[in-house]
Amino acid sequence: MKTKIVPIDEKNIDKEALKEAGMIIQKGGLVAFPTETVYGLGGNALDKSAAEKIYRAKGRPSDNPLIVHICRMEDMNSIAAQVPETAGKLADAFWPGPLTMILRKSGKVPYETTGGLDTVAVRMPGHKTALALIEAAGGYVAAPSANISGRPSPTQAKYVAEDMYGRIEMILDGGDICIGLESTIVDLTERVPVILRPGYVTKEMLERVLGHVEIDRAVLEDGQAPKAPGMKYKHYAPKGDLTIISGMQEKVVAEINRRCREMEKEGEKVGIIGTDETAAFYETGNIKSAGSRTEESSIARALYRILREFDDEGVTVIYSEAFEEPAEGGGMGQAIMNRLLKAAGHHIVKL
Ligand code: TXA
Ligand code: MG
């Protein structure tokens, strides 16, 4: 299959290109598109064969459910069997935006889309191209991140092409992504809302709307069975062996420098994920700053790109600083650390 790559500008959407993309999805095909979090791989959420195509294109196990993306508030009512009051409140507060809600599904959504579950994940993305595409495609677009299963989610169209070229009909290239980590997932099917995947919308932000919210223990602890099926799979793993070093900044820099020298002696190609505050103090290896600790959003945006760059550069051993402390004005520390821990297979050294 030849994949058509079409540039699209959120501020001046090419209507013809959008119509073509919408038709591809309506006819059962797949189109990758930008959202505010990461690029998505879209197919018709109400068509079970489209869901199967998505699983095949990603090489993803079919028990890992897909998020249904909508563009109108009222459409939540037709794919959910019941919409709790909490869902309405969250939709008013955060949609369109980087929040996914788990609800009981209606008969309209095929089990192929929900990985066999009786619940459905719903999100209204906050990206004009994404919203326009969903509308052109008929209103219900199932979209996982547009990467091969196990690789970092794509934050640029060139990474979508790297993974999906020849596997899907079209890629809408909307340039760089704004947030860079996948949406927050909150499960509203139990008595207390539970965060299954941390993201831009933090626990504190949800609690301001709902009161008490819990976090699935598997989010930051190793060895817990996660409630979101997708969170159990090895994810975002770079080809190099990644270790997180956590502790006081000066000690972390010294330890990473020591380990890098040792690894280089053994012939390894070493990469470092540092920050603007520390990058100058590293002495050897392929040093990359993820951004400034005073602006966590820049770190969130850079993380997946850096993991992919290390792959391209043939790095065999990677050391990263830890990011668990929420920085001023940020709040994405938990989401960053959750993805980093998964990428490292929970290999963390605490000094
Ligand atoms: O930001 C995002 O959410 C991106 C963009 C494209 O919208 N999408 C995304 O989809 O990250 P995906 O498929 O890569 O991740 C979806 C996650 C998986 O971990 C999956 O297991 C979980 O959502 N999920 C989906 N439906 C679920 C359900 N009914 N119950 C529990 N977890 C669910
Ligand atoms: Mg994904």
Side-chain angles (χ1 to χ4, degrees):
M1 184 188 305
K2 197 169 177 318
T3 302
K4 199 166 167 179
I5 302 180
V6 182
I8 194 145
D9 178 1
E10 191 183 6
K11 294 192 188 77
N12 183 17
I13 295 176
D14 176 344
K15 293 210 175 65
E16 280 308 304
L18 201 78
K19 206 168 136 195
E20 189 184 347
M23 277 315 292
I24 291 172
I25 293 180
Q26 293 212 24
K27 286 187 183 150
L30 305 183
V31 176
F33 62 98
T35 81
E36 77 280 34
T37 56
V38 297
Y39 274 84
L41 175 58
N44 181 356
L46 308 182
D47 172 358
K48 62 178 187 184
S49 65
E52 281 156 2
K53 273 191 202 162
I54 290 176
Y55 290 120
R56 214 174 313 130
K58 275 181 68 78
R60 174 171 179 157
S62 59
D63 66 346
N64 186 359
L66 307 173
I67 297 174
V68 179
H69 294 64
I70 58 173
C71 60
R72 289 174 293 254
M73 288 285 183
E74 62 267 27
D75 291 343
M76 177 164 50
N77 299 306
S78 69
I79 57 169
Q82 66 213 79
V83 177
E85 203 189 331
T86 46
K89 285 186 185 165
L90 290 183
D92 285 343
F94 300 110
W95 278 3
L99 179 70
T100 298
M101 299 185 224
I102 309 291
L103 306 170
R104 304 230 165 267
K105 85 172 194 67
S106 74
K108 195 173 170 123
V109 187
Y111 279 110
E112 283 75 6
T113 300
T114 65
L117 298 177
D118 286 316
T119 53
V120 62
V122 195
R123 155 162 138 83
M124 188 192 291
H127 191 290
K128 289 208 174 71
T129 304
L131 289 169
L133 174 68
I134 297 162
E135 191 175 14
Y140 304 92
V141 173
S145 48
N147 51 284
I148 297 276
S149 192
R151 298 209 72 199
S153 299
T155 51
Q156 296 174 28
K158 72 170 181 188
Y159 296 134
V160 178
E162 210 171 273
D163 284 12
M164 291 296 154
Y165 196 87
R167 294 170 180 249
I168 62 177
E169 280 81 356
M170 189 187 266
I171 297 170
L172 293 176
D173 179 354
D176 286 356
I177 280 313
C178 172
I179 294 178
L181 296 180
E182 306 86 343
S183 62
T184 305
I185 302 180
V186 61
D187 183 351
L188 299 177
T189 62
E190 308 280 344
R191 203 174 48 80
V192 179
V194 184
I195 296 172
L196 307 186
R197 181 173 73 181
Y200 179 86
V201 177
T202 60
K203 181 171 187 277
E204 292 68 30
M205 288 159 79
L206 294 171
E207 285 187 330
R208 252 175 261 144
V209 179
L210 297 185
H212 182 58
V213 172
E214 282 175 4
I215 299 191
D216 186 7
R217 284 177 64 197
V219 161
L220 290 174
E221 275 174 51
D222 198 10
Q224 302 287 333
K227 292 198 179 112
M231 300 291 280
K232 74 175 179 256
Y233 295 105
K234 192 172 178 196
H235 253 71
Y236 326 120
K239 291 172 191 149
D241 189 10
L242 170 60
T243 304
I244 304 165
I245 312 285
S246 143
M248 298 274 292
Q249 187 168 300
E250 274 165 48
K251 284 190 178 166
V252 167
V253 170
E255 178 64 11
I256 291 179
N257 277 331
R258 188 188 68 74
R259 284 176 181 243
C260 285
R261 281 193 298 269
E262 206 169 274
M263 284 297 131
E264 284 187 339
K265 254 187 243 157
E266 288 177 21
E268 302 287 353
K269 192 165 176 197
V270 178
I272 299 172
I273 305 178
T275 53
D276 290 356
E277 287 77 13
T278 56
F281 302 112
Y282 291 112
E283 291 160 1
T284 186
N286 185 344
I287 304 156
K288 292 186 194 283
S289 171
S292 169
R293 280 188 185 272
T294 60
E295 208 198 326
E296 272 179 334
S297 56
S298 65
I299 296 171
R301 204 178 306 128
L303 182 64
Y304 287 155
R305 170 182 54 78
I306 289 178
L307 293 177
R308 280 185 181 255
E309 282 173 1
F310 280 146
D311 280 358
D312 295 342
E313 291 154 6
V315 167
T316 57
V317 173
I318 306 166
Y319 295 105
S320 177
E321 295 176 18
F323 295 96
E324 67 266 65
E325 312 289 352
E328 289 162 50
M332 286 194 79
Q334 189 169 55
I336 296 167
M337 202 55 189
N338 167 257
R339 307 311 194 275
L340 198 58
L341 279 165
K342 283 159 74 66
H346 281 269
H347 192 197
I348 178 164
V349 175
K350 293 183 179 158
L351 300 178

